[in-house]
Amino acid sequence: MKKIISQATIDRLPLYFRTLRLVEDEDMQIISSDELGRRLDITPEQIRKDLATFGQFGRKGIGYDVHELKIKIENILGLQNNWRLAIVGVGHLGGALANYVNFAPMGFSVVALFDSNASIVGSEVNGIKINAVSQLKRIVVQKAVDIGVITVPAVEAQAVADKLVAAGVKGIWNFAPIKLTVPASVPLVNEDLSVGLSALSYHMSVRS
Amino acid sequence: MKKIISQATIDRLPLYFRTLRLVEDEDMQIISSDELGRRLDITPEQIRKDLATFGQFGRKGIGYDVHELKIKIENILGLQNNWRLAIVGVGHLGGALANYVNFAPMGFSVVALFDSNASIVGSEVNGIKINAVSQLKRIVVQKAVDIGVITVPAVEAQAVADKLVAAGVKGIWNFAPIKLTVPASVPLVNEDLSVGLSALSYHMSVRS
């Protein structure tokens, strides 16, 4: 039985995970919350609070075992599943995601691409062939796709979500600016790049 | 004097703002927290709590004035500034951002592009010319750029941030997976697309 963790903490765990990977590559065996905080610009108190959520394994005055903590976070986030992604909609954003270098270190791999535009079906992005959306179910099953990534225009997004669910994906990552309806058994995360930019706008206007 | 609002609330405000714009286009004058929650998949309690942070202007049993609330959130987020963006690094991700359709409704406009690759300097993306990085300071001043967007590889990111700060940008939105050092007077928001994907992974593995 896993404990439910707050969204804010979940959002910080990938940052901890990536930093621990780098630190492990530097052959550090122990890291303090101060050092982790310095590298991430997060207060040590926040880090200790986040990590205490899933058990006490740091040692007071010494720090955290880098490898142990990395594996622990990997397991909490489920990254050891090495999820396989299919991207539907290979426009600018879909193409950028197909080439995004930060996925591999987290265990994510893009294994299939789909587009409804016949003029790009058959071509490749980052070595992955673009398939027609009509082939979605067959290829999702064949390539054992876990996660469907939706980067089509808003008006097409629900139909694509329905197809992905029917094909058996276990989760959906949606970039279309629309509320999708999917079964409760299929987790859905909505991404919106203007959220981060709006947060920046907030911080800029608070100061001026 | 503005009140500091929690990051989680700030991250929800752009979603409220966009929904209120849509609702206003539908000629609705009043919206309840229930209806806003239904459209966003956020609990009405959460919405009432978020909005109460910056004053009481909903009316109990009636709802919020759509236009008033929209303007209020626009002002809190500083979106009425109509910030002008320059993107440095016109690879896949920079190109996707130059074409991103969700920025304009929030008042953001991309006014300049820069790249160090001479073979693409002079060409256009979405009608905007790509300039050499050596021209950054001159063009940032000339085009009155407010926000520098960094989509170069990690090893180049700090040098680009230094150039943007020297050119006088008021904020930096960083996509490079590295911790940048900038003056405290220049707000910095780091964006990492694998965070949302990791959150999805978490929700998928909690259920399985």
Side-chain angles (χ1 to χ4, degrees), chain B residues 127-160:
Chain B
I128 310 157
K129 191 180 145 194
I130 302 174
N131 297 286
V133 175
S134 59
Q135 301 298 306
L136 193 144
K137 188 164 187 176
R138 184 178 66 77
I139 293 170
V140 160
V141 171
Q142 179 198 319
K143 300 253 185 193
V145 168
D146 302 296
I147 296 175
V149 184
I150 300 180
T151 47
V152 296
V155 291
E156 297 169 30
Q158 183 62 55
V160 167

Side-chain angles (χ1 to χ4, degrees), chain A residues 125-199:
Chain A
V125 174
N126 202 13
I128 310 158
K129 192 180 145 194
I130 302 175
N131 297 286
V133 175
S134 60
Q135 302 299 307
L136 193 145
K137 189 166 186 175
R138 184 178 67 77
I139 292 169
V140 160
V141 172
Q142 180 199 316
K143 301 254 184 195
V145 168
D146 301 297
I147 296 174
V149 184
I150 301 180
T151 46
V152 297
V155 292
E156 297 169 29
Q158 184 62 55
V160 166
D162 294 344
K163 281 192 176 70
L164 286 165
V165 168
V169 301
K170 298 171 194 148
I172 289 181
W173 195 28
N174 174 44
F175 284 80
I178 189 171
K179 186 192 157 193
L180 298 177
T181 303
V182 294
S185 57
V186 180
L188 165 72
V189 166
N190 293 298
E191 197 75 33
D192 184 344
L193 295 176
S194 58
V195 168
L197 192 48
S198 299

Side-chain angles (χ1 to χ4, degrees), chain B residues 7-201:
Chain B
Q7 188 61 49
T9 301
I10 294 166
D11 287 350
R12 281 187 292 270
L13 291 181
L15 309 177
Y16 297 160
F17 179 75
R18 176 176 309 144
T19 303
L20 290 166
R21 280 189 79 248
L22 293 174
V23 162
E24 196 175 42
D25 286 348
E26 293 168 20
D27 280 334
M28 275 179 73
Q29 261 121 55
I30 301 286
I31 191 163
S32 65
S33 49
D34 279 18
E35 172 64 11
L36 200 48
R38 196 189 59 72
R39 290 182 182 237
L40 282 163
D41 243 348
I42 297 176
T43 66
E45 293 73 24
Q46 179 69 66
I47 290 174
R48 289 195 294 270
K49 188 168 169 244
D50 284 345
L51 300 183
T53 314
F54 39 88
Q56 289 298 341
F57 50 98
R59 278 176 297 167
K60 211 160 194 162
I62 299 176
Y64 300 98
D65 181 296
V66 171
H67 182 72
E68 187 192 358
L69 184 55
K70 191 197 78 167
I71 297 295
K72 178 81 181 171
I73 293 177
E74 184 175 47
N75 278 295
I76 290 168
L77 290 176
L79 301 177
Q80 80 286 358
N81 287 292
N82 293 307
W83 303 114
R84 297 161 67 84
L85 276 58
I87 298 172
V88 188
V90 193
H92 299 285
L93 187 56
L97 293 175
N99 281 285
Y100 196 57
V101 293
N102 288 357
F103 290 155
M106 313 293 280
F108 300 110
S109 52
V110 179
V111 298
L113 301 174
F114 299 95
D115 203 283
S116 58
N117 179 353
S119 72
I120 64 168
V121 168
S123 62
E124 289 190 358
V125 174
N126 201 16
I128 310 157
K129 191 180 145 194
I130 302 174
N131 297 286
V133 175
S134 59
Q135 301 298 306
L136 193 144
K137 188 164 187 176
R138 184 178 66 77
I139 293 170
V140 160
V141 171
Q142 179 198 319
K143 300 253 185 193
V145 168
D146 302 296
I147 296 175
V149 184
I150 300 180
T151 47
V152 296
V155 291
E156 297 169 30
Q158 183 62 55
V160 167
D162 294 345
K163 281 191 175 71
L164 286 165
V165 169
V169 300
K170 298 171 193 149
I172 289 181
W173 195 28
N174 173 43
F175 284 78
I178 189 172
K179 185 192 157 194
L180 298 177
T181 303
V182 294
S185 57
V186 180
L188 164 72
V189 166
N190 293 297
E191 196 76 32
D192 184 343
L193 295 176
S194 59
V195 169
L197 191 48
S198 299
L200 179 60
S201 172

